[in-house]
């Protein structure tokens, strides 16, 4: 407990014991996910599951703490695991080099005490939301656009869920690349972690927390469950049944010209974008 002595002074033993028994999944290991994974490791959860199929690129480095120039072309989830093991070797860390879609979402979230949404695409978020609501697992969402960000806890059966107020977006708009800053990422992921701590204390509200970094303003907007929500009210979970493809990473076949090969990953390029392959499993990143 020496490791957590200063944290114990703030949180108390009972709360630390709850944290130390948690199995947590972080869906996405980019800017949001790598920041969350680091904080969860330092906080002292029992088990982490990191899910991402992407590799580190130069354009990721401005908004992350874990990734360095040495990690370029390496799978984000593996780089995170390697770093986190140095921070706390007692934590069990599993990596899944895959995207989360309707094919595997339930399988990935089942067995976790809590799930963090660190995705960058509304359509995949709705799949994740369906999987968590259906399996009664709390989900902590965050989204960023420029220097604005929002976060919310979703407790199935108690609070509104993402499907209560979010609609899928069509392929053209889903392709849009959204910029942000490391300061925005750090604040909103810290709020996600605090939502977890407060939830473990039994404190939560059905509200969206909204941050405007340029104005240094935080707002909390009351939310309400939608009685027509197809996930939390009608239990239809349509995003788990449908295959709706968007931009971001998509399941793909190996094609194009090989541009990189290591013991961890093979990368190909064709006219549509980059193809990242782990053994026989490939994912296409469409260029916007
Ligand atoms: Zn809902």
């Amino acid at each position: 407990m020496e490791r957590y002595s200063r944290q114990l002074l703030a949180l108390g033993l009972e709360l630390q014991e709850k944290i130390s028994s948690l199995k947590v999944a972080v869906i996405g290991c980019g800017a949001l996910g790598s920041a969350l994974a680091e904080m969860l490791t330092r906080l002292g959860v029992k088990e982490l599951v990191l899910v991402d199929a992407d590799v580190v690129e130069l354009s990721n480095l401005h908004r992350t703490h874990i990734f360095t120039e040495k990690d370029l072309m390496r799978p984000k989830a593996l780089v995170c695991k390697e770093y986190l093991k140095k921070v706390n070797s007692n934590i069990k860390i599993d990596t899944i080099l895959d995207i989360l879609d309707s094919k595997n979402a339930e399988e990935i979230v089942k067995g976790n005490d809590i799930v963090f949404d660190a995705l960058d695409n509304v359509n995949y978020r709705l799949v994740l939301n369906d999987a968590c609501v259906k399996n009664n697992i709390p989900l902590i969402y965050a989204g960023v656009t420029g220097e604005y960000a929002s976060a919310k806890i979703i407790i199935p059966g108690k609070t509104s869920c993402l499907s209560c107020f979010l609609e899928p977006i069509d392929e053209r708009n889903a392709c849009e690349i959204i910029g942000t800053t490391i300061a925005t990422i750090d604040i909103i992921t810290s709020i996600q972690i605090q939502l977890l701590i407060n939830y473990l204390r039994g404190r939560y509200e059905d509200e969206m927390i909204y941050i405007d970094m340029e104005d240094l303003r935080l707002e909390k907007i009351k939310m309400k469950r939608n009685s027509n929500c197809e996930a939390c009210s009608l239990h239809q979970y349509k995003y788990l049944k449908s295959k709706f493809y968007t931009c971001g990473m998509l399941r793909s076949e190996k094609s194009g010209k090989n541009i990189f090969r290591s013991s961890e990953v093979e990368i190909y390029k064709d006219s549509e974008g980059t193809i990242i392959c782990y053994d026989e499993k490939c994912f296409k990143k469409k260029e916007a």
Side-chain angles (χ1 to χ4, degrees), residues 80-288:
C80 280
K81 178 178 175 174
E82 223 171 76
Y83 176 85
L84 299 174
K85 276 286 175 191
K86 286 185 211 158
V87 174
N88 190 339
S89 54
N90 298 323
I91 295 178
K92 181 170 186 285
I93 303 174
D94 284 324
T95 53
I96 300 176
L97 304 182
D98 206 337
I99 56 171
L100 177 140
D101 62 8
S102 48
K103 189 178 155 193
N104 60 4
E106 283 194 83
E107 195 189 319
I108 289 175
V109 301
K110 273 182 191 170
N112 289 285
D113 298 301
I114 195 132
V115 173
F116 280 85
D117 168 7
L119 293 165
D120 58 1
N121 182 303
V122 172
N123 296 6
Y124 286 121
R125 276 184 209 292
L126 288 167
V127 176
L128 175 61
N129 179 78
D130 267 7
C132 288
V133 172
K134 187 176 173 194
N135 291 282
N136 200 25
I137 300 167
L139 170 68
I140 302 183
Y141 148 87
V144 290
T145 314
E147 291 179 272
Y148 302 99
S150 53
K152 184 188 191 313
I153 187 163
I154 291 118
I155 304 170
K158 296 205 168 110
T159 69
S160 56
C161 76
L162 296 181
S163 199
C164 284
F165 53 87
L166 274 185
E167 288 286 329
I169 44 179
D170 69 38
E171 190 154 336
R172 268 172 299 118
N173 294 328
C175 287
E176 199 187 353
I177 293 176
I178 294 164
T180 191
T181 68
I182 192 164
T184 310
I185 294 287
D186 282 3
I187 295 265
I188 206 66
T189 49
S190 295
I191 288 173
Q192 281 179 286
I193 296 294
Q194 193 62 41
L195 286 170
L196 167 67
I197 293 170
N198 286 355
Y199 167 71
L200 296 173
R201 287 181 165 126
R203 283 190 64 173
Y204 60 85
E205 300 285 337
D206 194 356
E207 61 193 11
M208 184 67 82
I209 296 166
Y210 181 78
I211 295 268
D212 178 340
M213 288 297 284
E214 198 178 347
D215 265 1
L216 289 172
R217 195 158 42 86
L218 183 150
E219 271 185 81
K220 298 201 274 187
I221 297 158
K222 284 270 163 239
M223 306 295 286
K224 241 175 71 185
R225 279 177 74 186
N226 175 348
S227 57
N228 291 317
C229 173
E230 293 189 56
C232 71
S233 293
L234 306 176
H235 307 291
Q236 287 173 349
Y237 311 112
K238 65 178 174 188
Y239 302 114
L240 288 179
K241 293 167 198 156
S242 63
K243 275 189 174 178
F244 65 123
Y245 294 113
T246 63
C247 284
M249 293 186 85
L250 312 171
R251 293 188 192 282
S252 159
E253 298 296 318
K254 201 174 273 188
S255 86
K257 186 170 168 268
N258 179 266
I259 57 161
F260 181 79
R261 195 186 298 265
S262 73
S263 58
E264 293 172 331
V265 64
E266 284 178 23
I267 303 177
Y268 296 82
K269 229 176 174 80
D270 72 6
S271 57
E272 288 182 312
T274 306
I275 298 125
I276 297 169
C277 297
Y278 305 102
D279 299 323
E280 288 313 302
K281 218 180 223 184
C282 297
F283 306 92
K284 180 173 276 187
K285 260 163 80 166
K286 278 195 178 173
E287 249 93 269

